[in-house]
Amino acid sequence: MDTDNGNGNRFPANDRFAAGAQYIAGRLRPGASGRRHEVIDPATGHPVYSYELAGPADVDAAVAAAKEAFPGWSVTSPGERSAALHRLAGVLAERAEEFARAESSQCGKPLKLTREFDVPGTIDNAAFFAGAARHLEGRSAGEYSGDHTSYVRREPIGVVGSIAPWNYPLQMAAWKILPAIAAGNTIVLKPAEITPLTSLLFAEAATEAGIPDGVVNIVTGAGADAGEHLVGHPDVVMTSFTGSTGVGKRVAEIATRTVKRIHLELGGKAPFVVFDDADLEAATHGAVAASLINSGQDCTAATRAYVQRPLYEAFVEQVAALMETVRVGDPFRADTDLGPLISHAHRDRVAAFVERARGYARIVTGGEVPKGDGAYYPPTLVADAAQDSEIVQAEIFGPVLVVLPFDTDDEGIALANDTPYGLAASAWSRDVYRTGRATREIKAGCVWINDHIPIISEMPHGGYKASGFGKDMSAYSFEEYTQVKHVMYDNTAVAAKDWHRTIFGDR
């Protein structure tokens, strides 16, 4: 691959975070685990940052800071929290280029993706939650029993301990932090240790925006010690985790020991269902974009295309031709469409899926590991695999699209539902009744019609089945981060109430 091995246009992480990769009570500090870790630029294989990992002692310090900050932050007015988040959105906008370069440096994302998707989306999330902070609604007050007035309060729940993944470090940090603090909670976030840079920048931006010390804390450590200690911490009342279904099960196991609230956004294997009356050009363009976004490292990416048989061969041919035009290269080049995968180990895992598939399916295009230093893998199209094959059923998390034919509408929808996952899906048709049926019957948290991937701050994101439960973004996320309390007032001023006679005495 054509890569720029110099660091002149990369993010200067070693200088920027020389004080350490833990952000606790409003300042950077080194970790206390005694173990160093390197963040590697996957486009070059070169380290971009070396730091001390967090250990249990760092988690304890961060939770203590969040616990200390909670009483003050939780009683701020919605207007005050809203104003702080508006200021945060402004800081993020002012520093947008810094965030974009940091995200591209640690993830290998093309700079045009971080500039036009990751960073603007995060700014918009901050602006949305700035408004949403003033609209924590409950049921209207009323006399539901006749003798009492009832109303519902929404109250912050306390210290949240969240874990974010490596594929969208900035956006996932925002999805965890923003609704939590908008609702009046404080938070300790553990980003993936391989991609901590933008989470640290986000926490600094929160401080710059006037959010009090201890409200937003970052601990950067490995999952087995820092992550598990955070989830199991007795002063953490809720954990929100985004990552694989396997690790999500472990998080749930630890969290239930202390009866924590749990929010899990887990794996996906999104179907892309193309009916025979679909706009073929729109569907092929949509399939290529939706399967290759973030080098396919997206739990909502299109991974299984089911195409009704009259369009199947043309779809395969046109998707392959379009994939072959995609420019793979250095993330900081203006003409790069597709960057590397997150690491060489992950690239080799993706390649192994395709190599095993050669024994039972047709590799239409791609499928060859390129020469060079970066963790690159080309856009790859696989056809003629069986529905129960590994490449159809397992989450690959790379730039690989599998295409299968179907005959009837019933079959297409049944195939779409035939995995343990249910995070996202799309259906392509000009027929409103077909698309309406798809939205009703496909079991997924989001079903797009004649598009695949767009997300907006006002709408919820979360899954069915093994893709987890709970919602990120939107006002629905407050269901995760608030405690609903029923308050009931007696209106009668009667001491000896009629219902008391069911317990003692006679009527």
Side-chain angles (χ1 to χ4, degrees):
M1 293 296 104
D2 182 11
T3 60
D4 170 14
N5 289 331
N7 290 321
N9 57 358
R10 260 72 173 168
F11 178 75
N14 279 318
D15 294 333
R16 187 66 175 74
F17 297 121
Q22 318 308 322
Y23 195 84
I24 299 172
R27 67 180 183 89
L28 289 166
R29 53 187 259 184
S33 71
R35 294 186 293 122
R36 294 197 70 80
H37 183 80
E38 288 186 332
V39 176
I40 303 297
D41 181 343
T44 65
H46 296 167
V48 297
Y49 184 46
S50 177
Y51 68 96
E52 292 283 340
L53 287 165
D58 300 293
V59 173
D60 290 342
V63 172
K67 185 177 180 180
E68 183 179 353
F70 176 73
W73 181 249
S74 64
V75 298
T76 56
S77 70
E80 290 172 309
R81 294 199 295 271
S82 175
L85 291 174
H86 275 300
R87 293 194 299 270
L88 174 58
V91 174
L92 296 174
E94 290 171 3
R95 295 170 55 185
E97 183 66 11
E98 180 183 29
F99 276 91
R101 289 184 175 276
E103 196 80 331
S104 291
S105 291
Q106 67 182 354
C107 298
K109 298 170 183 275
L111 194 56
K112 69 176 182 179
L113 180 66
T114 59
R115 281 173 171 166
E116 299 177 32
F117 183 74
D118 297 72
V119 175
T122 301
I123 295 168
D124 187 69
N125 285 166
F128 169 79
F129 280 107
R134 304 187 78 148
H135 297 283
L136 285 173
E137 296 179 351
R139 186 179 295 274
S140 298
E143 288 68 50
Y144 297 98
S145 78
D147 291 337
H148 306 82
T149 294
S150 289
Y151 68 87
V152 170
R153 289 176 55 88
R154 282 192 180 272
E155 298 178 351
I157 58 176
V159 177
V160 178
S162 295
I163 299 176
W166 51 258
N167 60 328
Y168 286 102
L170 175 59
Q171 288 201 334
M172 295 298 100
W175 288 13
K176 303 300 184 194
I177 293 169
L178 291 168
I181 67 173
N185 303 291
T186 57
I187 189 168
V188 179
L189 174 77
K190 192 199 88 65
E193 63 270 27
I194 60 175
T195 55
L197 304 181
T198 45
S199 296
L200 295 170
L201 288 175
F202 192 95
E204 285 188 334
T207 298
E208 185 178 341
I211 294 172
D213 293 349
V215 172
V216 177
N217 306 276
I218 307 294
V219 289
T220 308
D225 46 17
E228 293 199 1
H229 191 66
L230 177 62
V231 173
H233 201 289
D235 290 331
V236 169
V237 298
M238 173 189 167
T239 188
S240 175
F241 170 79
T242 297
S244 71
T245 298
V247 178
K249 291 177 181 179
R250 176 63 177 162
V251 168
E253 176 188 347
I254 297 169
T256 53
R257 294 173 188 167
T258 49
V259 199
K260 292 185 189 343
R261 185 177 296 192
I262 310 171
H263 167 219
L264 300 175
E265 197 266 89
L266 306 177
K269 190 71 177 175
F272 186 101
V273 183
V274 182
F275 294 103
D276 58 12
D277 66 335
D279 182 324
L280 183 60
E281 182 182 14
T284 54
H285 279 75
V288 172
S291 62
L292 300 185
I293 185 171
N294 201 31
S295 297
Q297 299 167 132
D298 186 314
C299 50
T300 64
T303 59
R304 300 177 290 140
Y306 296 104
V307 183
Q308 207 152 23
R309 204 166 299 270
L311 296 183
Y312 178 72
E313 292 298 341
F315 181 89
V316 170
E317 179 182 346
Q318 291 183 30
V319 167
L322 194 54
M323 279 186 168
E324 289 166 4
T325 70
V326 173
R327 298 163 296 185
V328 181
D330 186 88
F332 285 82
R333 289 178 59 97
D335 60 353
T336 292
D337 297 318
L338 192 76
L341 297 177
I342 190 64
S343 68
H344 286 82
H346 185 63
R347 189 271 307 278
D348 293 345
R349 176 185 175 275
V350 170
F353 273 104
V354 178
E355 287 305 308
R356 290 191 294 271
R358 291 186 192 278
Y360 57 79
R362 174 167 55 108
I363 312 303
V364 182
T365 190
E368 299 289 343
V369 176
K371 296 179 181 179
D373 295 330
Y376 291 93
Y377 196 74
T380 298
L381 182 65
V382 180
D384 306 334
Q387 173 65 14
D388 62 355
S389 62
E390 176 192 54
I391 206 159
V392 174
Q393 293 292 326
E395 188 175 26
I396 299 170
F397 228 55
V400 179
L401 177 64
V402 184
V403 188
L404 297 87
F406 69 92
D407 291 305
T408 67
D409 289 16
D410 289 349
E411 182 188 11
I413 291 175
L415 290 170
N417 285 328
D418 184 30
T419 72
Y421 301 107
L423 187 58
S426 65
W428 299 72
S429 171
R430 293 182 173 95
D431 186 327
V432 66
Y433 297 103
R434 268 179 157 170
T435 57
R437 179 187 179 190
T439 64
R440 293 190 303 273
E441 297 185 14
I442 293 177
K443 304 304 180 186
C446 175
V447 180
W448 291 285
I449 299 300
N450 295 323
D451 208 343
H452 192 118
I453 285 297
I455 53 175
I456 50 175
S457 298
E458 290 83 357
M459 289 293 114
H461 175 83
Y464 284 34
K465 304 189 292 185
S467 292
F469 49 82
K471 300 299 180 185
D472 287 311
M473 297 197 299
S474 81
Y476 290 98
S477 65
F478 287 130
E479 302 295 332
E480 319 301 325
Y481 295 100
T482 56
Q483 181 67 53
V484 174
K485 177 186 287 185
H486 170 216
V487 178
M488 178 180 266
Y489 282 93
D490 170 60
N491 293 330
T492 66
V494 174
K497 294 181 171 57
D498 186 58
W499 75 268
H500 294 171
R501 306 288 76 77
T502 64
I503 311 302
F504 63 92
D506 299 319
R507 294 185 188 278

